[in-house]
């Protein structure tokens, strides 16, 4: 009897210091024939940043797209209702894969994927509500546009679901790393006559013996073809990437270009700027 009383007392004592419930910071899933999506978010940080992801759960055989999806794809798009007290600053992308050849070539993902979101609280404190309209393409043989509205309420003082926090941390840790001394672009120039971006880059020692994948993405009106690599091994590599420009402007000077490079198990991302 005394032992049971001690256990009951200890349980009450522990419950006093633990949250009464764990609050999930995730929207409901929006479903489609090829997969589902939702937004997962954590409580705002002291600086107003809100860790969040757009989580896409693909059905087997289906794919979704990268920031530059190719000729006929649809990149993920998130639009926030400003009345919720949250602004969207950017969508970030893990390194993709390439699918198809020729005009049908595109870049994306064929497994469930999470896109980290850079969100910011616009008010001075208190509750915030993420009201988002999400638009993306999910494809099997053809691309199907998928649109849905989701809501995530973040009430001040409530506790996050630790599983949601782990999902967010995993997505951010999967992003490409920053350039480093032995994993970086050495030289980049635009050859207007040839219609090529010519690149020289270094691969890290642990990936120098293998192949590399290269992905470029620019603003609207700038399209990139399949990279042509020169040299199959070694840390120092070169590649030429065909460029097609729509409209009258036939130069990429001043246009921001995102480069993502994968080598072995590592990936790197940087911005290119051409004079």
């Amino acid at each position: 009897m005394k032992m049971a009383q001690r256990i009951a007392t200890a349980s009450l004592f522990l419950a006093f210091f633990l949250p009464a419930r764990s609050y999930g910071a995730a929207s409901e899933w929006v479903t489609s024939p090829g997969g589902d999506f939702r937004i997962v978010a954590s409580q705002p940080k002291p600086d107003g940043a809100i860790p969040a992801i757009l989580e896409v759960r693909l059905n087997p055989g289906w794919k979704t797209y990268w920031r530059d999806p190719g000729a006929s794809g649809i990149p993920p798009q998130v639009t926030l209702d400003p009345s919720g007290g949250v602004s969207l600053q950017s969508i970030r992308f893990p390194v993709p894969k390439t699918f198809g050849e020729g005009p049908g070539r595109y870049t994306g993902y064929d497994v469930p994927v999470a896109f980290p979101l850079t969100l910011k609280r616009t008010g001075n404190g208190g509750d915030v509500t993420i009201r988002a309209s999400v638009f993306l393409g999910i494809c099997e043989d053809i691309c199907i546009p998928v649109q849905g509205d989701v809501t995530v309420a973040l009430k001040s003082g409530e506790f996050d679901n630790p599983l949601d926090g782990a999902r967010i941390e995993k997505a951010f840790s999967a992003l490409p790393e920053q350039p480093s001394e032995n994993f970086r672009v050495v030289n980049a120039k635009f050859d207007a006559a040839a219609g090529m971006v010519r690149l020289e880059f270094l691969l890290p020692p642990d990936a120098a013996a293998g192949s590399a994948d290269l992905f470029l993405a620019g603003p609207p009106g700038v399209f990139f073809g399949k990279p042509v690599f020169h040299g199959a091994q070694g840390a120092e590599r070169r590649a030429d990437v065909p460029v097609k420009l729509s409209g009258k402007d036939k130069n990429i000077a001043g246009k921001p270009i995102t480069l993502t490079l994968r080598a072995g198990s590592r990936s790197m991302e940087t911005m290119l700027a051409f004079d």
Side-chain angles (χ1 to χ4, degrees):
M1 180 65 72
K2 289 183 178 179
M3 180 62 71
Q5 288 176 340
R6 291 193 186 100
I7 293 173
T9 301
S11 298
L12 289 172
F13 182 77
L14 181 62
F16 181 80
F17 289 98
L18 292 176
R21 56 177 291 200
S22 179
Y23 294 87
S27 72
E28 296 293 331
W29 289 99
V30 174
T31 62
S32 78
D36 315 319
F37 69 81
R38 67 175 179 173
I39 285 181
V40 183
S42 290
Q43 288 287 336
K45 303 293 185 182
D47 64 356
I50 301 174
I53 57 173
L54 169 62
E55 186 177 10
V56 181
R57 189 169 61 184
L58 294 168
N59 293 335
W62 291 75
K63 304 174 183 68
T64 193
Y65 296 96
W66 188 55
R67 55 160 56 96
D68 185 339
S72 59
I74 302 172
Q77 301 169 44
V78 178
T79 304
L80 293 192
D81 181 347
S83 68
V86 183
S87 66
L88 172 66
Q89 299 181 332
S90 67
I91 304 177
R92 302 179 68 185
F93 296 81
V95 64
K97 296 179 180 179
T98 300
F99 302 94
E101 293 290 340
R105 180 177 177 271
Y106 66 95
T107 51
Y109 312 89
D110 58 356
V111 294
V113 60
F115 302 101
L117 305 176
T118 304
L119 303 181
K120 193 81 170 180
R121 181 171 59 192
T122 56
N124 295 324
D127 302 346
V128 297
T129 302
I130 302 170
R131 299 188 185 95
S133 176
V134 178
F135 184 66
L136 54 91
I138 297 180
C139 72
E140 188 177 34
D141 297 321
I142 60 173
C143 178
I144 298 176
V146 178
Q147 191 276 333
D149 297 328
V150 297
T151 300
V152 183
L154 301 174
K155 296 191 178 296
S156 180
E158 290 189 350
F159 295 91
D160 287 335
N161 184 331
L163 294 178
D164 290 335
R167 290 185 181 94
I168 294 171
E169 290 178 6
K170 181 179 179 181
F172 274 87
S173 66
L175 290 172
E177 61 191 74
Q178 296 293 314
S180 58
E181 184 61 29
N182 61 9
F183 196 13
R184 60 189 174 91
V185 175
V186 177
N187 188 40
K189 64 180 181 180
F190 175 55
D191 185 339
M196 293 280 184
V197 169
R198 303 196 186 278
L199 301 166
E200 299 175 16
F201 51 91
L202 287 177
L203 300 185
D206 57 347
S211 60
D213 292 318
L214 180 64
F215 309 91
L216 295 182
V222 182
F223 305 95
F224 297 97
K226 183 178 180 179
V228 178
F229 291 91
H230 306 283
Q233 291 187 343
E236 298 181 4
R237 303 286 183 93
R238 294 185 301 113
D240 295 333
V241 184
V243 184
K244 182 178 180 181
L245 303 169
S246 64
K248 297 180 180 180
D249 187 359
K250 300 301 181 183
N251 205 324
I252 60 174
K255 295 181 172 66
I257 307 298
T258 302
L259 177 145
T260 303
L261 179 63
R262 176 168 51 209
S265 61
R266 296 175 62 181
S267 60
M268 181 273 292
E269 189 166 284
T270 189
M271 296 296 295
L272 303 178
F274 298 92
D275 298 330

